Amino acid sequence: MNIILLGPPGAGKGTQARQLEEKYGLVQLSTGDMLRAAVRKGEPLGQEAKAIMDRGALVPDELMIRLISERIAQPDCAKGFILDGFPRTIPQAQALDKMLLNVNSKLDAVVELKVDEGKLVERVAGRFTCAKCGEGYHDRFKPTRAPGVCDQCAGTDFSRRADDNAEAMKTRLKAYRDETAPILPYYAARGVLKAVDGMAPMPDVFRALEGALGLVV
Ligand code: AP5
């Protein structure tokens, strides 16, 4: 099963994609995570993308299309994947159609996480991640069980994203409205678009997502 999760910054795409990966063995393809890894490793792509990401704008289509087309062609993606952060523009959506044709695959569902924009700054401002295993947390909505210790790997080093601030969020939300939201009618016209309430508590969102994807009856 190949799925796209769509929604503005902080909607919960990464949170839900990680759970789908864990429970159903689908591969999470997060373009944001791939870019941040390229920044950490000092790769040319990371050097090109860093300033753009930090201010909350979109990285050029051609770079993103190359990145994801190389990843989707890898053997592990044949068992199914969840795209989290791609496509983000109509040209990216069109390029994805071609990529899937090339690997003899298709899109099964596109799920929009519907959220209240006014609550998203709080979501991203409170987000932090274990530097060792990448587990995601939130100061208020998902704190670590023991203060300062990762529930998964007992790591004690955590990081926060450079673009998780109110100023960059304005640009990220505008980019979503202007460049990403126009993808929704593109997929609605093909009958693959579904919607889930992303404002519910995390486990409820996951159950609704499973229902929308036909994974539970
Ligand atoms: P990316 O990393 O994709 O960021 P984003 O789309 O802005 O999404 P986020 O990761 O901020 O949010 P999310 O929806 O995954 O929320 P999460 O689950 O973490 O992209 C970053 C940048 O990279 C872009 O700005 C751009 O520059 C570049 N880029 C990436 N892909 C690109 C592309 N295709 N084209 C061009 N540029 C690209 O949740 C957020 C927080 O809320 C967490 O702390 C979580 O614990 C909490 N939370 C989640 N769900 C709930 C809930 N139901 N209730 C309460 N709290 C919740």
Side-chain angles (χ1 to χ4, degrees), residues 67-194:
L67 180 72
I68 214 72
S69 63
E70 285 168 6
R71 185 64 189 89
I72 275 184
Q74 286 173 24
D76 61 334
C77 288
K79 62 187 173 190
F81 55 76
I82 313 142
L83 280 164
D84 150 21
F86 187 96
R88 258 177 152 98
T89 62
I90 293 277
Q92 290 184 17
Q94 290 166 336
L96 176 65
D97 288 340
K98 287 196 195 130
M99 283 175 222
L100 290 171
L101 263 181
N102 285 342
V103 293
N104 225 349
S105 195
K106 68 173 182 45
L107 202 55
D108 296 289
V110 178
V111 185
E112 179 192 8
L113 294 177
K114 285 193 164 290
V115 284
D116 172 355
E117 265 198 19
K119 309 273 186 206
L120 296 180
V121 172
E122 184 188 14
R123 282 224 189 147
V124 301
R127 168 169 48 193
F128 60 101
T129 305
C130 173
K132 194 168 155 201
C133 73
E135 182 67 13
Y137 294 97
H138 191 279
D139 292 325
R140 182 169 154 215
F141 304 124
K142 191 188 165 194
T144 53
R145 282 195 288 270
V149 182
C150 175
D151 298 351
Q152 299 297 327
C153 73
T156 52
D157 195 13
F158 296 90
S159 63
R160 291 186 188 254
R161 277 170 46 176
D163 60 345
D164 277 348
N165 58 72
E167 201 47 43
M169 261 308 259
K170 276 191 215 152
T171 311
R172 289 163 68 190
L173 286 169
K174 184 168 175 357
Y176 182 78
R177 271 184 239 116
D178 296 350
E179 299 180 69
T180 307
I183 299 177
L184 296 168
Y186 179 84
Y187 288 121
R190 302 214 325 227
V192 288
L193 184 66
K194 296 157 197 308

